[in-house]
Amino acid sequence: MATVAEMLVEQLELAGVERVYGIVGDSLNPIVDAIRRSKKIRWIHVRHEEVAAFAAGADAEVTGKLAVCAGSCGPGNLHLINGLYDCQRNRVPVLAIASHIPATQIGTQFFQETHPDRIFNECSVFSEMISDPNQMPRVSRIAIESALTAPGVSVLTIPSTVTQEKAPEGKALDMAHPRKPRIIPNEEDLKELADAINEADKVALFCGAGTRGAHDEVMELAGKLYSPVGHSLRGKEWIQWDNPYDVGMSGLLGYGAAQESMEEADLLVLIGTDFPYDSFLPHKVRTAQIDINPMHLGRRTRCDISVQADVRETLKLLIPMVEQKKSRSWLDKKLKSQAYLMDKVVGAYTEDGSKLKPIHPEFAAVKLDEAASDDAIFTVDTGMCNVWAARYITPNGKRRVIGSFLHGSMANALPQAIGAAVAEPHRQVVAMCGDGGLSMLLGDLQTIKTQDLNVKAVVFNNSALCMVKLEMIVDGLVDFGTTNDEMNFAAIAEAMGIRAVRVTDPQELEAVLEEEMAKPGPAVIDIVTDPNALSIPPKIEFGQAKGFAFAMSKQILNGGFGEVMSMARSNLRNIPRRF
Ligand SMILES: Cc1ncc(C[n+]2csc(CCOP(=O)(O)OP(=O)(O)O)c2C)c(N)n1
């Protein structure tokens, strides 16, 4: 007769799980032992449980299948929490196995006692404890189905005493899964939307990650309406490529003419987006919203017309209902503005980048974009790497760009690269790391070596927590606590047995990237970049502009004159003209 641990692993096998990320330990050992004996599931040993959760999230993101992470009782599974928040907010199907102290000790302040079933409540769609073996296999199956269907995070808390008990007679539970349902809009809502579109002269579209799989339909609609098409950071990889209507990205990291297009429109149509920054959304423009999740409707800005349905299904029905617009003059104006802003602002740094030392991060990002393969998976650290990826990594429908775009955690790039590379070993995985981000979960560089992963960890090494430096300056504060020691990550990687190269000369960068990207297996490319290269959001409030100038003068008064001068030189060309 099987134990609870063995039945759980059999249940995972039935769900098609192929790997579990985690760190072994006491209460978790019987489950890991059952995984060791499984012919279908691999144990992926990481160095920090947070990495296990981020990795599982990226695995689920690229495969669309359930991914699993595990941590031992108390601190072991507590370490999962930040990664699980990220998975939950990214709405990817992840099961976390949190092993627990012996059931007889719960409530006694026993060694390592925490309450995982309560702790993970906020970052999961399902969090339950198996306190009796007879809950198996139903509860494990419910956990799996909850993660898959929400989709989101399920957490199973299992005390060590229960793990080793005999499971009830019988086998793990299989079930017939329904095919993806077609979720079509209510006819009246659809008609209201079509009427509003037909009445408006200038219709702007703004697209989020919910447009995944609907690229062609969005293009067809934009072609009929002569609409400028803007996108959020998460929408970029699905909508920006092969897009003659592209006007760039909005938000704190945004660029181009997306913002002005939204503000000038008679009707703004938000498509599959829960873009969180309401201050970047117009509030005076008539707004329609299409989203499969009704919770997203109207929660960021006004919602005059709302359609709850699958984006692609909606657009397929909507397109024949809207009339071809006659004039494309507004679209052409916005495209011209986009071209100007891209050339003169976003492109400013990169023109003569090969001569600038320290290496400018924008130049590095452009060279990385050119050197990476056509179907590379990029993972992007929270911090300035978000900006460089958003502006310079070219999506093409085959590449992926994964980050902690909703949870905004630092140190996500390396762990997510691990999950992506384990799941898709034939693809090149490029982790765009900040030096702060890489330092935070540095131990897991070992994992790319141990697992021999095709991960190229590219460090934008500016010896600073640069994103926060920018925040402080824009807020009118003197930047403080934002400096990191100069660190030679290539030497650290080499000491770990990983191929590594450090680049300080911009003239060498292209050749190094080309060479390293072409070789299989793990590598660290440590690029020493300019810490004074900042980025300015597309919509600068008067207060922020004032703050920028104010912080500059405060720095001068504090004697930081040299730094102010170099910062001004580094950024002058990156400031939008109208600022
Ligand atoms: C876990 C966590 N801690 C702190 C922050 C706040 N924060 C956001 S970006 C950032 C700096 C990142 O520095 P680095 O990785 O060196 O990248 P850079 O911005 O310099 O390119 C910090 C401290 C965060 N988002 N997440």
Side-chain angles (χ1 to χ4, degrees), residues 532-562:
N532 292 320
L534 303 177
S535 118
I536 308 294
K539 178 180 171 174
I540 301 166
E541 304 293 341
F542 175 66
Q544 288 177 322
K546 216 171 70 187
F548 192 79
F550 184 53
M552 286 284 190
S553 51
K554 265 207 282 192
Q555 281 219 358
I556 292 171
L557 289 176
N558 291 348
F561 188 65

PDB file of all heavy atoms in Angstrom, residues 532-562:
ATOM      1  N   ASN A 532      25.127  56.248 -13.941  1.00  0.00           N
ATOM      2  CA  ASN A 532      24.408  57.521 -14.043  1.00  0.00           C
ATOM      3  C   ASN A 532      23.417  57.555 -15.191  1.00  0.00           C
ATOM      4  O   ASN A 532      22.819  58.589 -15.470  1.00  0.00           O
ATOM      5  CB  ASN A 532      25.400  58.671 -14.191  1.00  0.00           C
ATOM      6  CG  ASN A 532      26.175  58.848 -12.909  1.00  0.00           C
ATOM      7  OD1 ASN A 532      25.615  58.732 -11.826  1.00  0.00           O
ATOM      8  ND2 ASN A 532      27.467  59.069 -13.022  1.00  0.00           N
ATOM      9  N   ALA A 533      23.256  56.437 -15.867  1.00  0.00           N
ATOM     10  CA  ALA A 533      22.280  56.404 -16.957  1.00  0.00           C
ATOM     11  C   ALA A 533      20.910  56.146 -16.354  1.00  0.00           C
ATOM     12  O   ALA A 533      20.624  55.062 -15.871  1.00  0.00           O
ATOM     13  CB  ALA A 533      22.635  55.309 -17.940  1.00  0.00           C
ATOM     14  N   LEU A 534      20.092  57.146 -16.354  1.00  0.00           N
ATOM     15  CA  LEU A 534      18.761  57.014 -15.776  1.00  0.00           C
ATOM     16  C   LEU A 534      17.728  57.063 -16.883  1.00  0.00           C
ATOM     17  O   LEU A 534      18.051  57.238 -18.041  1.00  0.00           O
ATOM     18  CB  LEU A 534      18.529  58.145 -14.775  1.00  0.00           C
ATOM     19  CG  LEU A 534      19.557  58.225 -13.648  1.00  0.00           C
ATOM     20  CD1 LEU A 534      19.265  59.424 -12.775  1.00  0.00           C
ATOM     21  CD2 LEU A 534      19.591  56.963 -12.832  1.00  0.00           C
ATOM     22  N   SER A 535      16.475  56.933 -16.513  1.00  0.00           N
ATOM     23  CA  SER A 535      15.446  57.020 -17.546  1.00  0.00           C
ATOM     24  C   SER A 535      14.295  57.848 -17.016  1.00  0.00           C
ATOM     25  O   SER A 535      13.994  57.821 -15.840  1.00  0.00           O
ATOM     26  CB  SER A 535      14.998  55.622 -17.930  1.00  0.00           C
ATOM     27  OG  SER A 535      13.661  55.447 -17.641  1.00  0.00           O
ATOM     28  N   ILE A 536      13.681  58.585 -17.885  1.00  0.00           N
ATOM     29  CA  ILE A 536      12.620  59.493 -17.465  1.00  0.00           C
ATOM     30  C   ILE A 536      11.292  58.963 -18.002  1.00  0.00           C
ATOM     31  O   ILE A 536      11.190  58.637 -19.176  1.00  0.00           O
ATOM     32  CB  ILE A 536      12.873  60.905 -18.052  1.00  0.00           C
ATOM     33  CG1 ILE A 536      14.298  61.375 -17.722  1.00  0.00           C
ATOM     34  CG2 ILE A 536      11.843  61.916 -17.573  1.00  0.00           C
ATOM     35  CD1 ILE A 536      14.604  61.615 -16.278  1.00  0.00           C
ATOM     36  N   PRO A 537      10.264  58.842 -17.132  1.00  0.00           N
ATOM     37  CA  PRO A 537       8.978  58.352 -17.633  1.00  0.00           C
ATOM     38  C   PRO A 537       8.372  59.305 -18.666  1.00  0.00           C
ATOM     39  O   PRO A 537       8.708  60.494 -18.695  1.00  0.00           O
ATOM     40  CB  PRO A 537       8.100  58.278 -16.374  1.00  0.00           C
ATOM     41  CG  PRO A 537       8.803  59.039 -15.323  1.00  0.00           C
ATOM     42  CD  PRO A 537      10.243  59.150 -15.712  1.00  0.00           C
ATOM     43  N   PRO A 538       7.450  58.799 -19.519  1.00  0.00           N
ATOM     44  CA  PRO A 538       6.931  59.602 -20.618  1.00  0.00           C
ATOM     45  C   PRO A 538       6.079  60.769 -20.147  1.00  0.00           C
ATOM     46  O   PRO A 538       5.960  61.775 -20.821  1.00  0.00           O
ATOM     47  CB  PRO A 538       6.074  58.624 -21.409  1.00  0.00           C
ATOM     48  CG  PRO A 538       5.728  57.546 -20.458  1.00  0.00           C
ATOM     49  CD  PRO A 538       6.848  57.461 -19.491  1.00  0.00           C
ATOM     50  N   LYS A 539       5.456  60.623 -19.000  1.00  0.00           N
ATOM     51  CA  LYS A 539       4.551  61.683 -18.563  1.00  0.00           C
ATOM     52  C   LYS A 539       5.134  62.222 -17.266  1.00  0.00           C
ATOM     53  O   LYS A 539       5.074  61.576 -16.233  1.00  0.00           O
ATOM     54  CB  LYS A 539       3.174  61.070 -18.305  1.00  0.00           C
ATOM     55  CG  LYS A 539       2.157  62.043 -17.798  1.00  0.00           C
ATOM     56  CD  LYS A 539       0.824  61.320 -17.590  1.00  0.00           C
ATOM     57  CE  LYS A 539      -0.158  62.226 -16.880  1.00  0.00           C
ATOM     58  NZ  LYS A 539      -1.477  61.656 -16.781  1.00  0.00           N
ATOM     59  N   ILE A 540       5.762  63.370 -17.356  1.00  0.00           N
ATOM     60  CA  ILE A 540       6.411  63.900 -16.163  1.00  0.00           C
ATOM     61  C   ILE A 540       5.560  65.002 -15.570  1.00  0.00           C
ATOM     62  O   ILE A 540       5.234  65.985 -16.220  1.00  0.00           O
ATOM     63  CB  ILE A 540       7.820  64.433 -16.500  1.00  0.00           C
ATOM     64  CG1 ILE A 540       8.637  63.296 -17.091  1.00  0.00           C
ATOM     65  CG2 ILE A 540       8.507  64.971 -15.252  1.00  0.00           C
ATOM     66  CD1 ILE A 540       9.878  63.778 -17.754  1.00  0.00           C
ATOM     67  N   GLU A 541       5.132  64.776 -14.346  1.00  0.00           N
ATOM     68  CA  GLU A 541       4.339  65.790 -13.660  1.00  0.00           C
ATOM     69  C   GLU A 541       5.254  66.980 -13.361  1.00  0.00           C
ATOM     70  O   GLU A 541       6.455  66.812 -13.177  1.00  0.00           O
ATOM     71  CB  GLU A 541       3.805  65.237 -12.328  1.00  0.00           C
ATOM     72  CG  GLU A 541       2.995  63.965 -12.450  1.00  0.00           C
ATOM     73  CD  GLU A 541       1.678  64.167 -13.192  1.00  0.00           C
ATOM     74  OE1 GLU A 541       1.228  65.324 -13.285  1.00  0.00           O
ATOM     75  OE2 GLU A 541       1.131  63.180 -13.699  1.00  0.00           O
ATOM     76  N   PHE A 542       4.646  68.155 -13.239  1.00  0.00           N
ATOM     77  CA  PHE A 542       5.428  69.335 -12.917  1.00  0.00           C
ATOM     78  C   PHE A 542       6.204  69.098 -11.623  1.00  0.00           C
ATOM     79  O   PHE A 542       7.389  69.400 -11.511  1.00  0.00           O
ATOM     80  CB  PHE A 542       4.504  70.546 -12.792  1.00  0.00           C
ATOM     81  CG  PHE A 542       5.235  71.786 -12.352  1.00  0.00           C
ATOM     82  CD1 PHE A 542       6.200  72.360 -13.185  1.00  0.00           C
ATOM     83  CD2 PHE A 542       4.994  72.370 -11.122  1.00  0.00           C
ATOM     84  CE1 PHE A 542       6.894  73.496 -12.781  1.00  0.00           C
ATOM     85  CE2 PHE A 542       5.683  73.504 -10.720  1.00  0.00           C
ATOM     86  CZ  PHE A 542       6.628  74.060 -11.550  1.00  0.00           C
ATOM     87  N   GLY A 543       5.535  68.478 -10.640  1.00  0.00           N
ATOM     88  CA  GLY A 543       6.172  68.218  -9.344  1.00  0.00           C
ATOM     89  C   GLY A 543       7.408  67.356  -9.500  1.00  0.00           C
ATOM     90  O   GLY A 543       8.417  67.549  -8.815  1.00  0.00           O
ATOM     91  N   GLN A 544       7.334  66.380 -10.396  1.00  0.00           N
ATOM     92  CA  GLN A 544       8.484  65.485 -10.592  1.00  0.00           C
ATOM     93  C   GLN A 544       9.640  66.228 -11.236  1.00  0.00           C
ATOM     94  O   GLN A 544      10.782  66.053 -10.857  1.00  0.00           O
ATOM     95  CB  GLN A 544       8.085  64.290 -11.455  1.00  0.00           C
ATOM     96  CG  GLN A 544       7.193  63.312 -10.731  1.00  0.00           C
ATOM     97  CD  GLN A 544       6.763  62.183 -11.643  1.00  0.00           C
ATOM     98  OE1 GLN A 544       6.501  62.388 -12.826  1.00  0.00           O
ATOM     99  NE2 GLN A 544       6.722  60.996 -11.107  1.00  0.00           N
ATOM    100  N   ALA A 545       9.313  67.096 -12.206  1.00  0.00           N
ATOM    101  CA  ALA A 545      10.367  67.856 -12.864  1.00  0.00           C
ATOM    102  C   ALA A 545      11.053  68.750 -11.836  1.00  0.00           C
ATOM    103  O   ALA A 545      12.262  68.875 -11.789  1.00  0.00           O
ATOM    104  CB  ALA A 545       9.772  68.701 -13.982  1.00  0.00           C
ATOM    105  N   LYS A 546      10.210  69.346 -10.995  1.00  0.00           N
ATOM    106  CA  LYS A 546      10.741  70.206  -9.955  1.00  0.00           C
ATOM    107  C   LYS A 546      11.645  69.377  -9.042  1.00  0.00           C
ATOM    108  O   LYS A 546      12.734  69.774  -8.665  1.00  0.00           O
ATOM    109  CB  LYS A 546       9.575  70.789  -9.151  1.00  0.00           C
ATOM    110  CG  LYS A 546       9.862  72.209  -8.706  1.00  0.00           C
ATOM    111  CD  LYS A 546       8.637  72.867  -8.097  1.00  0.00           C
ATOM    112  CE  LYS A 546       8.330  72.237  -6.758  1.00  0.00           C
ATOM    113  NZ  LYS A 546       7.108  72.629  -6.123  1.00  0.00           N
ATOM    114  N   GLY A 547      11.171  68.168  -8.712  1.00  0.00           N
ATOM    115  CA  GLY A 547      11.941  67.292  -7.823  1.00  0.00           C
ATOM    116  C   GLY A 547      13.297  66.959  -8.400  1.00  0.00           C
ATOM    117  O   GLY A 547      14.307  66.946  -7.696  1.00  0.00           O
ATOM    118  N   PHE A 548      13.313  66.730  -9.686  1.00  0.00           N
ATOM    119  CA  PHE A 548      14.564  66.363 -10.359  1.00  0.00           C
ATOM    120  C   PHE A 548      15.577  67.501 -10.213  1.00  0.00           C
ATOM    121  O   PHE A 548      16.716  67.306  -9.801  1.00  0.00           O
ATOM    122  CB  PHE A 548      14.261  66.090 -11.839  1.00  0.00           C
ATOM    123  CG  PHE A 548      15.384  65.428 -12.580  1.00  0.00           C
ATOM    124  CD1 PHE A 548      15.611  64.068 -12.467  1.00  0.00           C
ATOM    125  CD2 PHE A 548      16.225  66.161 -13.410  1.00  0.00           C
ATOM    126  CE1 PHE A 548      16.646  63.454 -13.152  1.00  0.00           C
ATOM    127  CE2 PHE A 548      17.254  65.557 -14.098  1.00  0.00           C
ATOM    128  CZ  PHE A 548      17.463  64.197 -13.962  1.00  0.00           C
ATOM    129  N   ALA A 549      15.096  68.719 -10.511  1.00  0.00           N
ATOM    130  CA  ALA A 549      15.985  69.875 -10.425  1.00  0.00           C
ATOM    131  C   ALA A 549      16.395  70.137  -8.976  1.00  0.00           C
ATOM    132  O   ALA A 549      17.555  70.432  -8.675  1.00  0.00           O
ATOM    133  CB  ALA A 549      15.272  71.099 -10.994  1.00  0.00           C
ATOM    134  N   PHE A 550      15.445  69.967  -8.076  1.00  0.00           N
ATOM    135  CA  PHE A 550      15.668  70.215  -6.671  1.00  0.00           C
ATOM    136  C   PHE A 550      16.745  69.263  -6.122  1.00  0.00           C
ATOM    137  O   PHE A 550      17.675  69.668  -5.427  1.00  0.00           O
ATOM    138  CB  PHE A 550      14.329  70.003  -5.952  1.00  0.00           C
ATOM    139  CG  PHE A 550      14.357  70.322  -4.485  1.00  0.00           C
ATOM    140  CD1 PHE A 550      14.814  71.546  -4.030  1.00  0.00           C
ATOM    141  CD2 PHE A 550      13.897  69.390  -3.560  1.00  0.00           C
ATOM    142  CE1 PHE A 550      14.815  71.843  -2.673  1.00  0.00           C
ATOM    143  CE2 PHE A 550      13.901  69.677  -2.209  1.00  0.00           C
ATOM    144  CZ  PHE A 550      14.358  70.906  -1.763  1.00  0.00           C
ATOM    145  N   ALA A 551      16.614  67.989  -6.482  1.00  0.00           N
ATOM    146  CA  ALA A 551      17.593  67.004  -6.000  1.00  0.00           C
ATOM    147  C   ALA A 551      18.972  67.303  -6.550  1.00  0.00           C
ATOM    148  O   ALA A 551      19.985  67.149  -5.868  1.00  0.00           O
ATOM    149  CB  ALA A 551      17.163  65.595  -6.408  1.00  0.00           C
ATOM    150  N   MET A 552      19.003  67.738  -7.802  1.00  0.00           N
ATOM    151  CA  MET A 552      20.286  68.096  -8.419  1.00  0.00           C
ATOM    152  C   MET A 552      20.957  69.211  -7.616  1.00  0.00           C
ATOM    153  O   MET A 552      22.119  69.143  -7.284  1.00  0.00           O
ATOM    154  CB  MET A 552      20.047  68.606  -9.843  1.00  0.00           C
ATOM    155  CG  MET A 552      19.718  67.518 -10.804  1.00  0.00           C
ATOM    156  SD  MET A 552      21.195  66.623 -11.240  1.00  0.00           S
ATOM    157  CE  MET A 552      20.625  65.629 -12.553  1.00  0.00           C
ATOM    158  N   SER A 553      20.136  70.254  -7.279  1.00  0.00           N
ATOM    159  CA  SER A 553      20.759  71.373  -6.574  1.00  0.00           C
ATOM    160  C   SER A 553      21.149  70.963  -5.163  1.00  0.00           C
ATOM    161  O   SER A 553      22.174  71.385  -4.646  1.00  0.00           O
ATOM    162  CB  SER A 553      19.848  72.599  -6.588  1.00  0.00           C
ATOM    163  OG  SER A 553      18.581  72.217  -6.153  1.00  0.00           O
ATOM    164  N   LYS A 554      20.360  70.099  -4.530  1.00  0.00           N
ATOM    165  CA  LYS A 554      20.728  69.632  -3.194  1.00  0.00           C
ATOM    166  C   LYS A 554      22.048  68.879  -3.219  1.00  0.00           C
ATOM    167  O   LYS A 554      22.876  68.995  -2.332  1.00  0.00           O
ATOM    168  CB  LYS A 554      19.639  68.711  -2.631  1.00  0.00           C
ATOM    169  CG  LYS A 554      18.656  69.465  -1.759  1.00  0.00           C
ATOM    170  CD  LYS A 554      18.004  68.595  -0.711  1.00  0.00           C
ATOM    171  CE  LYS A 554      16.904  67.744  -1.295  1.00  0.00           C
ATOM    172  NZ  LYS A 554      16.078  67.113  -0.278  1.00  0.00           N
ATOM    173  N   GLN A 555      22.210  68.086  -4.302  1.00  0.00           N
ATOM    174  CA  GLN A 555      23.463  67.333  -4.415  1.00  0.00           C
ATOM    175  C   GLN A 555      24.646  68.272  -4.574  1.00  0.00           C
ATOM    176  O   GLN A 555      25.702  68.045  -4.021  1.00  0.00           O
ATOM    177  CB  GLN A 555      23.406  66.375  -5.608  1.00  0.00           C
ATOM    178  CG  GLN A 555      22.629  65.144  -5.280  1.00  0.00           C
ATOM    179  CD  GLN A 555      23.257  63.912  -5.891  1.00  0.00           C
ATOM    180  OE1 GLN A 555      24.259  64.016  -6.587  1.00  0.00           O
ATOM    181  NE2 GLN A 555      22.698  62.747  -5.634  1.00  0.00           N
ATOM    182  N   ILE A 556      24.428  69.343  -5.336  1.00  0.00           N
ATOM    183  CA  ILE A 556      25.511  70.300  -5.520  1.00  0.00           C
ATOM    184  C   ILE A 556      25.865  70.934  -4.174  1.00  0.00           C
ATOM    185  O   ILE A 556      27.019  71.006  -3.770  1.00  0.00           O
ATOM    186  CB  ILE A 556      25.122  71.383  -6.557  1.00  0.00           C
ATOM    187  CG1 ILE A 556      25.030  70.721  -7.931  1.00  0.00           C
ATOM    188  CG2 ILE A 556      26.135  72.532  -6.575  1.00  0.00           C
ATOM    189  CD1 ILE A 556      24.453  71.584  -9.021  1.00  0.00           C
ATOM    190  N   LEU A 557      24.805  71.315  -3.406  1.00  0.00           N
ATOM    191  CA  LEU A 557      25.054  71.931  -2.100  1.00  0.00           C
ATOM    192  C   LEU A 557      25.779  70.957  -1.171  1.00  0.00           C
ATOM    193  O   LEU A 557      26.580  71.339  -0.335  1.00  0.00           O
ATOM    194  CB  LEU A 557      23.726  72.360  -1.455  1.00  0.00           C
ATOM    195  CG  LEU A 557      23.054  73.565  -2.117  1.00  0.00           C
ATOM    196  CD1 LEU A 557      21.711  73.847  -1.467  1.00  0.00           C
ATOM    197  CD2 LEU A 557      23.945  74.806  -2.007  1.00  0.00           C
ATOM    198  N   ASN A 558      25.475  69.675  -1.315  1.00  0.00           N
ATOM    199  CA  ASN A 558      26.134  68.677  -0.469  1.00  0.00           C
ATOM    200  C   ASN A 558      27.518  68.298  -0.978  1.00  0.00           C
ATOM    201  O   ASN A 558      28.125  67.365  -0.474  1.00  0.00           O
ATOM    202  CB  ASN A 558      25.273  67.405  -0.362  1.00  0.00           C
ATOM    203  CG  ASN A 558      24.026  67.678   0.447  1.00  0.00           C
ATOM    204  OD1 ASN A 558      23.933  68.714   1.094  1.00  0.00           O
ATOM    205  ND2 ASN A 558      23.076  66.759   0.394  1.00  0.00           N
ATOM    206  N   GLY A 559      27.962  68.926  -1.999  1.00  0.00           N
ATOM    207  CA  GLY A 559      29.317  68.676  -2.477  1.00  0.00           C
ATOM    208  C   GLY A 559      29.406  67.589  -3.530  1.00  0.00           C
ATOM    209  O   GLY A 559      30.492  67.247  -3.994  1.00  0.00           O
ATOM    210  N   GLY A 560      28.237  67.019  -3.916  1.00  0.00           N
ATOM    211  CA  GLY A 560      28.292  65.940  -4.912  1.00  0.00           C
ATOM    212  C   GLY A 560      28.316  66.489  -6.326  1.00  0.00           C
ATOM    213  O   GLY A 560      27.649  65.975  -7.214  1.00  0.00           O
ATOM    214  N   PHE A 561      29.077  67.521  -6.547  1.00  0.00           N
ATOM    215  CA  PHE A 561      29.045  68.240  -7.815  1.00  0.00           C
ATOM    216  C   PHE A 561      29.462  67.367  -9.004  1.00  0.00           C
ATOM    217  O   PHE A 561      28.798  67.350 -10.040  1.00  0.00           O
ATOM    218  CB  PHE A 561      29.947  69.486  -7.701  1.00  0.00           C
ATOM    219  CG  PHE A 561      29.843  70.388  -8.884  1.00  0.00           C
ATOM    220  CD1 PHE A 561      28.649  71.044  -9.176  1.00  0.00           C
ATOM    221  CD2 PHE A 561      30.928  70.592  -9.727  1.00  0.00           C
ATOM    222  CE1 PHE A 561      28.544  71.879 -10.272  1.00  0.00           C
ATOM    223  CE2 PHE A 561      30.817  71.428 -10.824  1.00  0.00           C
ATOM    224  CZ  PHE A 561      29.632  72.074 -11.096  1.00  0.00           C
ATOM    225  N   GLY A 562      30.534  66.630  -8.784  1.00  0.00           N
ATOM    226  CA  GLY A 562      31.037  65.790  -9.878  1.00  0.00           C
ATOM    227  C   GLY A 562      29.983  64.812 -10.348  1.00  0.00           C
ATOM    228  O   GLY A 562      29.750  64.652 -11.540  1.00  0.00           O
TER     229      GLY A 562
END
